[in-house]
Amino acid sequence: MDAIYTAVATATHGREGRAVSSDGKVDLPLALPVEMGGNGAGTNPEQLFAAGYAACFGSALGLVGRGAKVDVSDAAVTAEVGIGKQGEGFGLKVTLRVELPDTVDAETGRKLVEQAHQVCPYSNATRGNIEVDLVIE
């Protein structure tokens, strides 16, 4: 694959540090969530992954919607990223909640969401590695 764009970010001190993008547009303190024993005073990698996946999936949905001549421009995607013990380490699971406009019927909506799941780079990167549930609301 020839990359069209490459994002660059550096994190220091793991989950208790800071994440900064090479262009400075992202500059965030990192902290363990309270549920994992932290103080929750910063963002965490799961929140960043959720935001990226939701945005990327929304773009993929727009792409397949335009191809099918179905207006999904008012759709909203919420990504829920869970982390938990998996064997000796940790694993992730994702639920993508897709809220489609009322003008999109259920069958068309399901087809578009499934097509977006085949197109989305995050979905392709996680396929077979992370459990991803698609929920249409």
Side-chain angles (χ1 to χ4, degrees):
M1 175 196 79
D2 290 328
I4 298 168
Y5 167 75
T6 300
V8 179
T10 301
T12 55
H13 304 288
R15 290 177 170 272
E16 296 292 332
R18 186 160 212 85
V20 180
S21 63
S22 60
D23 62 5
K25 291 180 182 177
V26 174
D27 187 349
L28 302 166
L30 302 173
L32 276 171
V34 173
E35 297 83 352
M36 293 177 70
N39 64 14
T43 193
N44 60 67
E46 292 72 36
Q47 289 172 319
L48 297 171
F49 187 77
Y53 203 160
C56 189
F57 197 88
S59 289
L61 183 62
L63 176 73
V64 298
R66 285 188 299 280
K69 299 193 181 345
V70 177
D71 184 7
V72 291
S73 59
D74 288 335
V77 179
T78 300
E80 300 170 0
V81 176
I83 184 172
K85 288 291 281 177
Q86 182 175 323
E88 296 296 315
F90 290 86
L92 299 175
K93 70 176 184 174
V94 174
T95 299
L96 294 175
R97 298 188 183 280
V98 182
E99 190 176 333
L100 294 168
D102 293 338
T103 55
V104 179
D105 66 86
E107 182 180 338
T108 301
R110 166 67 51 195
K111 286 179 184 176
L112 292 175
V113 167
E114 289 173 358
Q115 288 173 348
H117 192 44
Q118 296 305 309
V119 171
C120 176
Y122 276 66
S123 293
N124 288 330
T126 61
R127 195 174 329 285
N129 300 308
I130 296 175
E131 174 187 338
V132 177
D133 292 322
L134 302 174
V135 178
I136 300 173
E137 300 182 326

